[in-house]
């Protein structure tokens, strides 16, 4: 498991007034480990203030994901986990890149 570095987040609910009580706009550098064929790998991002039940609304990454399937979720207080699944016929090792997340807390 790799941990994200250079994490920058902005907290506030100005874009979703009345729908969410809090939102986070997170940008960080992520250098995921190689993922073998039909295997999964996890990475974590520390985001101050997030809690179980918060939603990851969106995720983008700055490299071609080469067929990988990713999902992100709040796995614990202050922690977002990114799970990567490789359904392809070979191992994939992505370059270090910028990861962007949008996280929200419902009313």
């Amino acid at each position: 498991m790799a941990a994200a570095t250079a994490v920058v987040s902005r907290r506030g609910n100005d874009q979703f007034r009345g729908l969410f009580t809090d939102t986070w706009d997170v940008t960080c550098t992520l250098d995921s480990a190689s993922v073998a064929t039909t295997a999964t790998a996890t990475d974590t991002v520390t985001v101050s203030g997030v809690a179980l039940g918060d939603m990851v609304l969106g995720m983008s990454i700055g490299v071609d994901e080469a067929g990988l399937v990713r999902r992100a979720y709040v796995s614990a207080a202050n922690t977002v986990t990114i799970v990567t699944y490789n359904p392809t016929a070979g191992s994939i090792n992505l370059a270090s890149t910028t990861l962007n997340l949008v996280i929200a807390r419902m009313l």
Side-chain angles (χ1 to χ4, degrees):
M1 173 176 21
T5 59
V7 177
V8 175
S9 67
R10 186 184 73 77
R11 186 173 177 176
N13 65 352
D14 48 315
Q15 297 299 316
F16 298 102
R17 278 191 213 290
L19 185 59
F20 301 115
T21 59
D22 220 342
T23 59
W24 292 260
D25 172 13
V26 180
T27 301
C28 63
T29 300
L30 186 65
D31 189 7
S32 297
S34 178
V35 185
T37 301
T38 67
T40 60
T42 59
D43 297 296
T44 59
V45 180
T46 300
V47 181
S48 295
V50 299
L52 287 172
D54 292 346
M55 298 179 294
V56 177
L57 299 177
M59 173 176 56
S60 69
I61 192 163
V63 294
D64 179 3
E65 294 192 88
L68 296 174
V69 178
R70 285 192 158 166
R71 79 178 189 100
Y73 63 97
V74 176
S75 57
N78 304 315
T79 305
V80 174
T81 296
I82 297 122
V83 178
T84 305
Y85 169 65
N86 180 2
T88 70
S91 292
I92 297 176
N93 188 7
L94 298 178
S96 178
T97 189
T98 299
L99 172 74
N100 296 296
L101 300 166
V102 176
I103 304 163
R105 179 172 296 152
M106 294 291 291
L107 289 174

